[in-house]
Amino acid sequence: MSYTNKEDIIQIDHLLFQYQQEETKETVTAIKDVSFTLKRGSFTAIIGRNGSGKSTLAKNINALLLPTEGTVYVNGYDTRDKDHLWEIRQSAGMVFQNPDNQLVSSIVEDDVAFGPENLGIEPQEIRRRVDEALKKVNMYQHRKRSPHHLSGGQKQRVAIAGVVAMRPECIILDEPTAMLDPKGRAQVMDIIHQLHQEGITIVLITHFMDEAAQADRIIIMDDGDVVLDGTPREVFLHGGKIRQLYLDVPFAVEMAEHLRDAGIDVPEDVIETPELVQYLCGDCVGTAIAAERCAATDTCPDGATDAAATPVVEVKHLRHVFSPGLPFESVALDDVNFTIEKNSFTALIGHTGSGKSTLIQHLNGLLKPTDGSVWIDGENIGDGKVKLRDIRRKVGLVFQYPEYQLFEETVLKDVCYGPLNLGFSQEEAEARAKRAIELVGLDFEEVKDRSPFALSGGQKRRVAIAGVIAMEPEVLILDEPTAGLDPKSHRDILLMIETIKKEGGVTILLVSHNMGDVARLADRVLVMDGGRLWMNGTPHQVFSRAEELSEIGLGLPPATEFMYRLKLAGAPVDTSALTVQDALNAVLEWKRGEGPC
């Protein structure tokens, strides 16, 4: 088939892409006979579980990969045509998931200029493009800063500006919000909508169904093939099939399904929370009466703890200053105080740059306080008499994207590495590794001799977590353990964490941007803002302060946000719901006249 329709910027004709698996040398088919076109100025979301072929498809559009069979046309150019490679890359720019992998310069404006410079554009035009691109993403005021001193959301905006400066007609964004806090996600989505309104074709790869619902078209991939293709309303009508593909549906779609099952008349094509609220509140009159049993009336004593509980972690007046006395001096932590009780489940939340990562690195001695102290099991880890090896045996830290920490030849060797470094014998290390591998839900005999790099993304993450669990810590700190995972892998990791908590008897500190996970799992929530502990309370206490959370760049669990929207629209409902079931029960009470009002 030749490229004939000028209205299409992308035309994919029977695309087949195969590669050789390094470990087994087997041929893997990543894309199977895929054909579709993308109209100029369209906004398409591509979703699918990890390994479904989404990123491989995107790289074929950008000519980072070339078809094994079939053809990909970009703006009329065949991606196999090396003579037009620059025209293809200029037509279809690509933004990747991790902005750190795209930033190449030490100054923001130099980084944005990198692409246009490689296209051979005149210096004066580059200057105009850089300024224009930075203004579009609201980063012009940071043009002289180092990208490495920016927050995650700011880095992602710089990465987008670098692509925008090349003036592409199409921008492909591969999970650009996966690592961002709620405010950062919203800002990036605002930029995407702005670029779309200016006529740029958008291809958004995402695991967030609420983001996919904002597109004009959704393509769902599975096992290298397109299995659903249509408008968001058309696609999300197939909720059952979507779940069979191990994906989620937007909160509003799930809630509407439950309401219909309970006998409440809700249209089948509702896909966003505001329209569900509008439909349910069509007969709401006046202002909602506050439900007396709403958890918002609870007090939220910052730093309050149960006096009878036994603390395993105590942080006292902790302060940390980076580059003290230098021009780039910054206060990362300022007078932070809290305790964590044994066998508790605590969540740590806050916007990107709020101090979360700096804080957790103090808890096992990776960073030393500028002032204040950290106590583990009654020992001040800053005391010169305390051995950090003993502290790290008690406090295990799993970094964000832990699979990047894998390095050994086999899974068993990788998981044994920590125990061996703590001084355990080979026999004891292997026994611990076996227990850890099984605890994270993997078959020990099946994976122990495999290369960790030959595993799926979710399996790699489990192995990396097993490597920390094998040291049998009393406290397990998990920094965004579900970042970048598809819905099934996300759920699997959460179930794994619950199993570790239940069977391992471990105190858990979870760092997360997912408010739904925090609401479901945590006993207590620590909220950081600007390097200070802004709030310390139960999930009900923390999420009852919706406006204040919004002001510091955080969101609410989807169920809680839904209930707040209902109440603002005039529904006499209790806003304390944290889960889908909580929200469903509250709406049914209201609709059946059994609620508090």
Side-chain angles (χ1 to χ4, degrees):
M1 181 186 291
S2 61
Y3 188 99
T4 57
N5 192 342
K6 300 301 182 183
E7 293 182 1
D8 298 329
I9 188 168
I10 307 294
Q11 182 169 318
I12 298 174
D13 180 29
H14 298 290
L15 172 63
L16 174 76
F17 182 82
Q18 297 175 321
Y19 66 93
Q20 191 175 66
Q21 216 271 351
E22 288 187 13
E23 185 182 45
T24 63
K25 305 303 181 184
E26 293 180 359
T27 298
V28 177
T29 301
I31 303 288
K32 301 174 180 176
D33 194 27
V34 167
S35 299
F36 64 82
T37 61
L38 297 179
K39 298 290 184 185
R40 295 182 187 275
S42 61
F43 182 175
T44 302
I46 301 179
I47 59 180
R49 57 180 169 173
N50 294 117
S52 62
K54 308 183 301 298
S55 294
T56 301
L57 176 64
K59 290 174 183 176
N60 270 272
I61 295 174
N62 189 243
L64 290 172
L65 298 174
L66 298 178
T68 304
E69 293 180 13
T71 314
V72 177
Y73 295 98
V74 177
N75 217 7
Y77 298 111
D78 186 332
T79 57
R80 286 199 186 91
D81 187 346
K82 295 181 180 179
D83 292 336
H84 292 102
L85 182 62
W86 286 113
E87 287 92 336
I88 292 167
R89 297 267 171 84
Q90 188 172 4
S91 297
M94 192 158 179
V95 178
F96 295 95
Q97 181 184 102
N98 189 342
D100 288 319
N101 294 340
Q102 297 174 252
L103 303 177
V104 296
S105 300
S106 58
I107 303 295
V108 164
E109 61 181 4
D110 291 346
D111 208 288
V112 177
F114 183 79
E117 285 173 350
N118 277 275
L119 294 175
I121 295 169
E122 292 295 322
Q124 288 184 336
E125 175 63 16
I126 291 175
R127 177 75 270 166
R128 283 193 293 271
R129 289 192 182 197
V130 168
D131 290 349
E132 180 183 286
L134 286 171
K135 287 175 182 176
K136 279 186 178 180
V137 300
N138 196 28
M139 287 298 292
Y140 182 75
Q141 66 272 30
H142 299 291
R143 64 191 182 281
K144 299 294 184 182
R145 293 186 64 186
S146 165
H148 305 293
H149 292 155
L150 302 176
S151 70
Q154 290 173 323
K155 288 178 183 178
Q156 194 61 284
R157 282 188 273 162
V158 172
I160 293 173
V163 174
V164 169
M166 293 191 288
R167 303 274 176 86
E169 294 182 56
C170 173
I171 297 180
I172 306 158
L173 303 107
D174 190 359
E175 297 189 51
T177 65
M179 301 176 67
L180 304 184
D181 58 36
K183 183 177 181 180
R185 280 186 59 204
Q187 290 172 337
V188 169
M189 287 304 298
D190 286 344
I191 291 167
I192 290 171
H193 283 294
Q194 176 188 333
L195 295 172
H196 179 226
Q197 289 170 3
E198 293 174 3
I200 294 176
T201 305
I202 299 293
V203 179
L204 174 65
I205 298 172
T206 182
H207 286 144
F208 293 108
M209 297 303 134
D210 60 326
E211 292 179 357
Q214 298 175 45
D216 304 325
R217 175 185 180 186
I218 295 177
I219 293 173
I220 298 184
M221 296 193 67
D222 186 63
D223 195 24
D225 206 354
V226 173
V227 292
L228 281 173
D229 184 354
T231 66
R233 295 189 192 280
E234 291 169 343
V235 167
F236 288 127
L237 282 174
H238 301 278
K241 184 172 183 178
I242 290 172
R243 291 186 181 90
Q244 288 175 0
L245 297 171
Y246 302 105
L247 299 175
D248 285 336
V249 295
F251 172 85
V253 173
E254 182 179 5
M255 179 56 64
E257 288 175 350
H258 288 310
L259 289 170
R260 285 194 293 271
D261 289 343
I264 306 296
D265 182 28
V266 178
E268 290 191 352
D269 62 350
V270 168
I271 62 172
E272 294 187 289
T273 295
E275 60 182 332
L276 177 58
V277 169
Q278 184 177 12
Y279 182 83
L280 291 173
C281 286
D283 56 354
C284 294
V285 179
T287 304
I289 302 172
E292 292 182 4
R293 60 188 175 87
C294 178
T297 61
D298 294 344
T299 58
C300 190
D302 294 357
T305 60
D306 183 350
T310 303
V312 66
V313 176
E314 293 182 89
V315 174
K316 302 179 180 181
H317 303 291
L318 180 61
R319 177 179 170 85
H320 191 88
V321 181
F322 285 112
S323 305
L326 298 177
F328 292 112
E329 175 181 316
S330 64
V331 179
L333 298 173
D334 188 15
D335 195 29
V336 175
N337 297 271
F338 64 87
T339 64
I340 296 176
E341 286 71 46
K342 283 187 177 180
N343 298 319
S344 63
F345 195 127
T346 302
L348 177 63
I349 64 175
H351 59 82
T352 305
S354 63
K356 303 186 302 299
S357 294
T358 303
L359 173 58
I360 62 175
Q361 289 179 66
H362 280 79
L363 302 186
N364 74 343
L366 288 176
L367 291 176
K368 296 182 179 179
T370 303
D371 291 300
S373 59
V374 175
W375 299 69
I376 304 296
D377 256 352
E379 292 184 300
N380 181 355
I381 68 175
D383 186 336
K385 298 178 182 178
V386 175
K387 295 181 180 179
L388 285 180
R389 172 178 284 192
D390 294 335
I391 296 301
R392 288 167 187 164
R393 186 178 295 182
K394 293 180 179 179
V395 181
L397 175 55
V398 180
F399 291 100
Q400 191 176 82
Y401 288 89
E403 56 268 31
Y404 293 167
Q405 299 168 231
L406 301 174
F407 66 96
E408 279 283 12
E409 296 175 349
T410 68
V411 167
L412 181 59
K413 287 182 179 180
D414 211 295
V415 179
C416 282
Y417 183 82
L420 289 173
N421 273 274
L422 290 177
F424 291 102
S425 67
Q426 183 70 38
E427 183 180 7
E428 175 61 19
E430 290 188 8
R432 284 171 169 248
K434 184 176 187 297
R435 288 195 295 270
I437 289 170
E438 291 175 346
L439 190 58
V440 299
L442 295 174
D443 185 305
F444 177 73
E445 294 299 329
E446 181 182 325
V447 303
K448 67 183 178 69
D449 295 322
R450 294 186 64 187
S451 165
F453 305 105
L455 302 177
S456 69
Q459 288 174 321
K460 287 179 183 177
R461 193 157 300 186
R462 287 169 184 261
V463 169
I465 293 172
V468 175
I469 293 173
M471 294 186 283
E472 298 186 359
E474 295 180 31
V475 180
L476 179 62
I477 304 172
L478 298 152
D479 189 3
E480 289 282 351
T482 63
L485 295 180
D486 61 40
K488 181 182 185 299
S489 298
H490 183 122
R491 289 191 295 270
D492 288 346
I493 291 294
L494 293 184
L495 288 171
M496 180 200 73
I497 293 170
E498 290 181 295
T499 300
I500 293 168
K501 173 68 170 62
K502 181 179 178 181
E503 298 182 10
V506 181
T507 302
I508 292 180
L509 175 60
L510 173 70
V511 182
S512 181
H513 287 143
N514 189 308
M515 300 301 121
D517 294 348
V518 170
R520 172 187 160 191
L521 297 173
D523 308 318
R524 198 157 194 88
V525 182
L526 305 175
V527 187
M528 295 293 295
D529 178 45
R532 298 182 68 90
L533 183 63
W534 180 76
M535 193 185 303
N536 177 355
T538 66
H540 278 293
Q541 290 169 336
V542 168
F543 293 125
S544 71
R545 298 168 71 170
E547 291 185 10
E548 295 163 280
L549 287 171
S550 178
E551 288 172 3
I552 65 169
L554 296 177
L556 297 172
T560 311
E561 179 186 354
F562 172 59
M563 300 310 296
Y564 269 101
R565 286 180 178 271
L566 280 175
K567 190 166 186 176
L568 286 171
V573 293
D574 179 349
T575 59
S576 65
L578 295 177
T579 66
V580 171
Q581 190 61 51
D582 290 343
L584 177 63
N585 292 341
V587 173
L588 292 178
E589 283 184 357
W590 162 43
K591 285 296 185 180
R592 292 169 178 170
E594 300 168 0
C597 304

